[in-house]
Each structure stands twice: as structure tokens, then as C-alpha cells.
Amino acid sequence: LWVMPGMAGALWICVEAEDSARVVASLRIEPEGTFSLRFINSIYLAPVKETYRYVPSEGIVAVLVESPSAGVFEYYGLVPDGSGASAVYTRASEIRVRSSDYHHHRLSTGGEEISLNGLVPGGEPLVIRVKETCSGVSLLWGQPLNCDILSAIYSIRQEN
């Protein structure tokens, strides 16, 4: 097995349509890297940022929740610090997201961000997983690609 320089241990955040397990978006993430899910809480109509870290031995770990709304923290059962954030530690193998409208949902890591709007119809769930490989669409280029091929392209872009 030959690996492109700089790609050993490369991982992907794969966003899948739950009903078909079809990858509808993906982002590259470094091992032990963090990623964030931003959205508007539908009850309090307030912005929320959930930050996760991928730890190979533990899976996806929620590490921080941020919002200017006290109601959001009450909803989560958390107590915010003075900056509108609360540290958490919750492990999961995947993140399931369901919204009637994904217009305000954004996934980001390493300076790259994608919108979840339009990936599936409103009301249909999305599943976010971290994997070594995934097939689907990279919204960074907007074309269907196998993520292994995308790794090579990303590596070449980084070296140029």
C-alpha cells in the first residue's frame, strides 16, 4: 500500500444520508483534530456551536458547547462560564442530526466549512462519522470523488 506524503493517518468527516448511508459531504480532519457543528437552536432561536475532537481510541468526543443563550445551556443541562461556553466530555461513535431546515447548519474543521443545507430534504436525518475512507462528494470541490483520491489531491494542493 502506497500512501501520498503527508497523508499517513488522514481521516475524513463523512456526512451520510441516514436512509441510504450515502455520503453526501466530506471534510478531511487530522488525527486528534477538532471539528465544529454550528446551527440555530430551534427552541430558543439562538446560535449554538458544538465542538468535537476525534480520538482514535475513543471515537468522537464532544468537548465544548457555546451559545449566547442561557436557555440553550438549560436545554443541554449545562452551566455556562462567563464567556458563554461550557466544557463537556461525551463520547459517541457518530453524531445524528435531524432538522426541519438545515439552512443554518454548518460543519467546519481546519479552516474549511460546509453547509448542511440541501444535502437531504428537511426532516431527513444526517449521520456524521469519522472514517479512514469514504466515498461521496467533497463539497470543497463540488464533485463526486472517492476520498482516497481526494487525499492525494489534497496532499498535492498542500505541497504547491
Side-chain angles (χ1 to χ4, degrees):
L1 176 66
W2 183 71
V3 178
M4 289 292 294
M7 295 308 294
L11 296 168
W12 294 91
I13 301 169
C14 301
V15 182
E16 301 173 355
E18 182 186 60
D19 63 341
S20 65
R22 176 178 51 92
V23 175
V24 293
S26 61
L27 287 171
R28 185 175 179 273
I29 186 172
E30 294 296 325
E32 303 286 332
T34 61
F35 64 97
S36 298
L37 180 62
R38 296 174 192 258
F39 57 95
I40 301 295
N41 179 279
S42 61
I43 297 170
Y44 298 101
L45 302 178
V48 178
K49 178 182 177 188
E50 297 174 349
T51 300
Y52 300 88
R53 176 175 302 281
Y54 180 73
V55 180
S57 62
E58 299 180 60
I60 298 170
V61 180
V63 294
L64 188 67
V65 175
E66 299 171 86
S67 179
S69 170
V72 167
F73 290 100
E74 182 179 320
Y75 175 80
Y76 279 94
L78 300 172
V79 177
D81 62 17
S83 69
S86 182
V88 295
Y89 188 87
T90 305
R91 294 184 296 186
S93 60
E94 60 191 28
I95 301 166
R96 294 185 177 277
V97 181
R98 177 177 283 196
S99 179
S100 61
D101 180 4
Y102 288 104
H103 181 74
H104 296 287
H105 289 70
R106 304 195 69 73
L107 184 66
S108 62
T109 186
E112 303 291 345
E113 184 173 86
I114 58 173
S115 171
L116 302 186
N117 190 41
L119 299 180
V120 294
E124 290 189 18
L126 290 167
V127 180
I128 300 170
R129 296 182 173 104
V130 176
K131 299 179 177 183
E132 290 182 8
T133 62
C134 63
S135 295
V137 174
S138 169
L139 293 185
L140 298 180
W141 289 284
Q143 298 181 22
L145 290 173
N146 177 290
C147 292
D148 294 329
I149 296 168
L150 192 58
S151 294
I153 294 169
Y154 183 85
S155 178
I156 292 166
R157 279 186 58 204
Q158 294 291 66
E159 291 173 7
N160 291 335

